[in-house]
Every structure is written in C-alpha cells, then in structure tokens.
Amino acid sequence: LVGGELTAADWWLVALAGALGSSLAVLWLSPATLAFAGLSAVVHGLLAAGCTAACLRRSPLGFALAAALALKLALERWGGAVPALALAPAAGIAHAAHLYASLAGAAAAFLLARRRRNVLAASRASAARDPGPNLASSSAISASGPAKEGSEE
C-alpha cells in the first residue's frame, strides 16, 4: 500500500531507524521490558514511514492508514492486544517497541522528505544561477575543428 512512497535506500534507512529507535527507546523508556525479539516493531516503523511519506504528499490513503495505525497503537497501549490481530498472547507482545518503532519510522520519513526537498531546492537554485554552458565561450572545439587523435597542436 505504501511501498512506492520511498526509494529502496530510504526503506533500508527507515528499517534501521525503526530497529535502533525501538531498541534504544525500550532500553531507556521502558526498563520493565527485559527482552523482546522479532520484526514486528520494524514492520510498524516501516508502515509509519510509508504513512508519513503519503501524508506529506496529502494522500487520502496515507491519512487513512496513519489513522488506522494510530488506533491500533492506542488499543495496544490501553487495551492490550488487538483481538482481531492477536496471534500470540498479549503478554508476549512488546507494545512499547511497536510505538517507539512507529515514531522512529515516521521521524525518519519526515527527515528523508525534508532532505529531499532541500536537495531539490538547492538544485533548482543552482540551475537558476547557472542556466547551462555558454556555447559561444566553449573551447572544446577549436576554430579548425576537433583535435585528431595523435596530432599535436
């Protein structure tokens, strides 16, 4: 649903941000969680990043998915496992990791979009200052034509 929102390299960066962000946040902010494993937190981070990128484009689907993800996270936070989605006992799900990875993924997508916008703006500003090569002053071709290989001028 949101796979086309970012480049392949950006998705890898988001996955890394989700993994590191959730791990460090659980370590610092949820000390009661002694250990957690699996990729569900990274998946939450990836979905949040895709939703964020889609929302920045003002996509209705992005807003709908972001609202659904926020509802799921809220239900997990205050109600335990979401019954329709629970594949494991509620005690075995690291709800905090899902939340932190989602926040890290959304932040990563926002920063990537900001960087892309800044690079694009700089490129446009550079193009406006330098409209391109001036053919009249080009010295690539001399008056007698291009230099032939092996000839000396």
Side-chain angles (χ1 to χ4, degrees), residues 16-17 19 23 26 41 48 53 59 66 84-85 93 95 105 116 119 150 152:
L16 182 63
S23 297
V26 166
S59 165
L85 302 175
I93 298 174
H95 304 294
R116 189 176 307 117
V119 167
E152 297 204 16

Side-chain angles (χ1 to χ4, degrees), residues 4-5 19 25 91-92 95 99 118 128 135 140 146 149:
E5 295 296 334
H95 304 294
L99 173 64
N118 289 343
L135 297 178
E149 202 173 301

Side-chain angles (χ1 to χ4, degrees), residues 56 109-124:
L56 290 172
F110 179 80
L111 292 173
L112 287 167
R114 184 174 168 192
R115 182 192 71 187
R116 189 176 307 117
R117 187 178 62 235
N118 289 343
V119 167
L120 184 59
S123 174
R124 286 181 181 161

Side-chain angles (χ1 to χ4, degrees), residues 46-59:
L46 292 170
L47 179 58
C51 291
T52 301
C55 287
L56 290 172
R57 283 190 316 100
R58 308 225 190 299
S59 165

Side-chain angles (χ1 to χ4, degrees), residues 18-39:
L20 288 176
S22 65
S23 297
L24 293 174
V26 166
L27 178 67
W28 292 327
L29 304 174
S30 299
T33 303
L34 299 177
F36 67 98
L39 293 174

Side-chain angles (χ1 to χ4, degrees), residues 69-88:
L69 179 60
L71 177 63
K72 180 201 178 285
L73 292 170
L75 288 172
E76 278 184 351
R77 173 71 176 107
W78 289 290
V82 178
L85 302 175
L87 300 176

